[in-house]
Amino acid sequence: MPEKFPSQAQAEGFSGFRGMSRNLLLLLVFILMSLPLFTTFNEILTKIAEKSGAYELLTKTVVPFETRAVSLILKPFGVDARPTISHLFIRRSDGTQTGIFLSWNCLGWQSGILLILTLITGLSGNHAFSRKIETIVFGLSGTFLINLLRISIVVLIAYYFGQLPATLVHDYGGTLFTIGWFFFFWWFSYQFILEP
């Protein structure tokens, strides 16, 4: 039996979930190091898109759906959130009301891009086509639901603790939450969907 070259052995050692975990861990380290820059760049990109009008399609179609969905998620927690086209108006028990604006940037486009990048690398193995489709559907639906949950958590924190903690969780915690989802997604996919 011929000996394996080190590069071939290393490539086999970092395939599947192990390889994807290594890639996600490197991505997490990079994101943590550049989080302030990433957050600032994200805000600049949002302002540019809002001035150019490119966000209008998402604002008219997806944002109203997400405001309604988040208001339904918040009901079991005792939060009276009234959705509009772009805002959630939260009424507190003392009678005060707070408006939370949901822009196209809150939809989770960053996690959509990250999902596409991880699908390109994660599905590059020799897997059945039907299993790859299952993984893509699971990834899309899970990422969409995780974004709804992320938005709901930020609104809950705003409701109970105020705007500053909610802003911190929105800007920093949301990224970590999304990376945690991707670790789970790829572990589950390699464990139960993309079986050899």
Side-chain angles (χ1 to χ4, degrees), residues 88-156:
L88 277 175
F89 289 99
I90 300 171
R91 185 174 304 280
R92 291 192 171 87
S93 56
D94 64 359
T96 60
Q97 186 169 306
T98 302
I100 297 177
F101 174 65
L102 296 178
S103 74
W104 70 274
N105 202 30
C106 295
L107 303 178
W109 61 270
Q110 302 93 330
S111 55
I113 292 171
L114 188 57
L115 175 66
I116 291 168
L117 293 175
T118 60
L119 285 172
I120 290 169
T121 58
L123 296 177
S124 61
N126 190 17
H127 305 289
F129 181 74
S130 62
R131 298 295 180 140
K132 289 181 178 183
I133 296 298
E134 286 178 41
T135 303
I136 291 169
V137 170
F138 176 55
L140 288 171
S141 57
T143 302
F144 178 73
L145 293 173
I146 284 296
N147 279 314
L148 285 178
L149 184 60
R150 176 184 53 83
I151 294 168
S152 301
I153 289 170
V154 170
V155 173
L156 278 172

Side-chain angles (χ1 to χ4, degrees), residues 14 16-25 118 121-122 186 190:
F14 287 115
F17 177 69
R18 186 174 181 192
M20 184 55 65
S21 296
R22 180 183 59 104
N23 292 343
L24 285 172
L25 186 61
T118 60
T121 58
W186 283 110
Y190 280 116

Side-chain angles (χ1 to χ4, degrees), residues 44-120:
I44 292 169
L45 189 61
T46 302
K47 297 296 181 197
I48 291 170
E50 286 175 348
K51 286 182 180 178
S52 71
Y55 73 100
E56 289 181 8
L57 180 64
L58 290 174
T59 300
K60 290 178 181 174
T61 57
V62 181
V63 172
F65 171 78
E66 286 203 349
T67 57
R68 288 192 304 271
V70 170
S71 71
L72 290 173
I73 292 170
L74 295 174
K75 278 192 187 295
F77 297 97
V79 178
D80 181 22
R82 312 244 173 188
T84 65
I85 292 174
S86 61
H87 285 76
L88 277 175
F89 289 99
I90 300 171
R91 185 174 304 280
R92 291 192 171 87
S93 56
D94 64 359
T96 60
Q97 186 169 306
T98 302
I100 297 177
F101 174 65
L102 296 178
S103 74
W104 70 274
N105 202 30
C106 295
L107 303 178
W109 61 270
Q110 302 93 330
S111 55
I113 292 171
L114 188 57
L115 175 66
I116 291 168
L117 293 175
T118 60
L119 285 172
I120 290 169

Side-chain angles (χ1 to χ4, degrees), residues 1-6 8-9 12:
M1 183 168 174
E3 286 187 29
K4 292 182 179 177
F5 293 105
Q8 185 183 357
E12 289 177 3

Side-chain angles (χ1 to χ4, degrees), residues 176-194:
L176 299 175
F177 188 69
T178 302
I179 293 292
W181 152 247
F182 281 112
F183 272 107
F184 172 78
F185 165 65
W186 283 110
W187 169 82
F188 187 89
S189 295
Y190 280 116
Q191 200 71 21
F192 300 107
I193 302 174
L194 297 171

